[in-house]
């Protein structure tokens, strides 16, 4: 089974992570101007749209989930999130794996991992929603980040309910800003998952890891079936 330490951090210590992440990118940001200030304004408007779903007492948890799921899958860069999560095991990684050379993902395996991991992340965080969820969000700062691999990047800092710091890392892709990492009080989601999966891949092959993820997603679907 998966290491629970990272999940506990996000779920128990900062239960608002999922909500804030969902809210932030309900509208893509026109990046033609490459202006972080303008991006922040657009993001703030988008957050309000998502808050209207999350804070609507008339909506059931199920309906909130249905309305927010397309937002998650559309505005998060799950391809990059998956690549960074796999780290040295990713298909295009160059780091030597030594005795674990058979743990390098193929392009096809990585595509399957991206699909399964997207569902897994969505399940983890959307499960935190309930009928009584009420959140407020304020953006506190935005800044450009140093480009990596020719990726233009930006960071947006926010406070959830006036106390929990959530920082979002974005990259410019096809003229849109997309999220590729979230830091909760300074702790990176990507780094935490990378550590978890690196430990797993010392024991299991990519296909075995994919089976674990698929089984977990299937069990979630069955447990939530009406």
């Amino acid at each position: 089974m998966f290491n629970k330490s990272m999940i506990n951090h996000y779920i128990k210590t900062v239960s608002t992570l999922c909500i804030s992440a969902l809210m932030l990118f309900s509208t893509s940001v026109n990046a033609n101007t490459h202006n972080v200030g303008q991006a922040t304004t657009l993001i703030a408007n988008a957050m309000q749209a998502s808050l209207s779903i999350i804070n609507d007492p008339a909506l059931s948890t199920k309906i909130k989930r249905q309305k927010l799921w397309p937002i998650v899958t559309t505005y998060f860069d799950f391809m990059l999130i998956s690549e960074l999560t796999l780290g040295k095991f990713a298909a295009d990684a160059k780091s030597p794996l030594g005795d674990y050379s058979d743990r390098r993902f193929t392009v096809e395996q990585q595509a399957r991992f991206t699909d399964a991991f997207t569902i897994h992340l969505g399940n983890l965080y959307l499960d935190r929603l309930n009928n009584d969820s009420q959140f407020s969000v304020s953006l506190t700062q935005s800044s450009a980040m140093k480009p990596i691999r020719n990726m233009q990047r930006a960071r947006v800092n926010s406070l959830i309910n006036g106390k929990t710091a959530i920082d979002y890392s974005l990259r410019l892709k096809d003229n849109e800003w997309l999220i590729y990492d979230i830091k909760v009080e300074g702790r990176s989601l990507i780094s935490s998952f990378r550590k978890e999966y690196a430990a797993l891949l010392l024991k299991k092959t990519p296909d075995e890891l994919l089976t674990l993820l698929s089984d977990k997603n299937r069990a979630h679907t069955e447990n939530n079936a009406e």
Side-chain angles (χ1 to χ4, degrees), residues 10 16-22 24-25 76 81 125 155-156 158 165-170 179-192:
Y10 284 98
T16 55
L17 167 63
C18 58
I19 310 304
S20 60
L22 296 173
L24 186 53
F25 292 95
F76 278 71
I81 290 172
Y125 298 129
R155 177 165 294 157
V156 177
S158 70
I166 309 287
D167 301 333
Y168 305 87
S169 298
L170 306 84
I179 189 172
Y180 71 88
D181 197 11
I182 304 170
K183 290 185 177 179
V184 181
E185 297 177 336
R187 186 168 180 174
S188 163
L189 177 146
I190 290 294
S191 295
S192 298

Side-chain angles (χ1 to χ4, degrees), residues 77-180:
D77 191 344
F78 284 108
M79 289 185 64
L80 183 57
I81 290 172
S82 298
E83 178 185 341
L84 296 176
T85 297
L86 291 176
K88 63 183 180 182
F89 298 100
D92 292 335
K94 304 300 182 185
S95 300
L97 295 177
D99 294 339
Y100 301 97
S101 58
D102 63 332
R103 310 300 162 86
R104 179 92 69 201
F105 279 61
T106 66
V107 172
E108 185 272 336
Q109 287 171 327
Q110 189 162 320
R112 290 165 54 201
F113 176 81
T114 299
D115 291 341
F117 192 48
T118 298
I119 295 171
H120 179 59
L121 284 177
N123 289 339
L124 282 176
Y125 298 129
L126 289 174
D127 282 352
R128 300 302 95 199
L129 284 172
N130 58 59
N131 291 344
D132 299 324
S133 296
Q134 291 290 317
F135 295 92
S136 63
V137 180
S138 58
L139 300 184
T140 58
Q141 186 177 0
S142 302
S143 59
M145 299 169 64
K146 183 179 180 180
I148 294 179
R149 293 190 294 178
N150 295 320
M151 292 190 303
Q152 182 175 344
R153 303 187 300 149
R155 177 165 294 157
V156 177
N157 304 91
S158 70
L159 276 180
I160 308 302
N161 288 349
K163 60 182 179 181
T164 303
I166 309 287
D167 301 333
Y168 305 87
S169 298
L170 306 84
R171 73 147 165 172
L172 194 62
K173 181 180 181 182
D174 298 330
N175 290 324
E176 290 185 345
W177 289 104
L178 295 173
I179 189 172
Y180 71 88

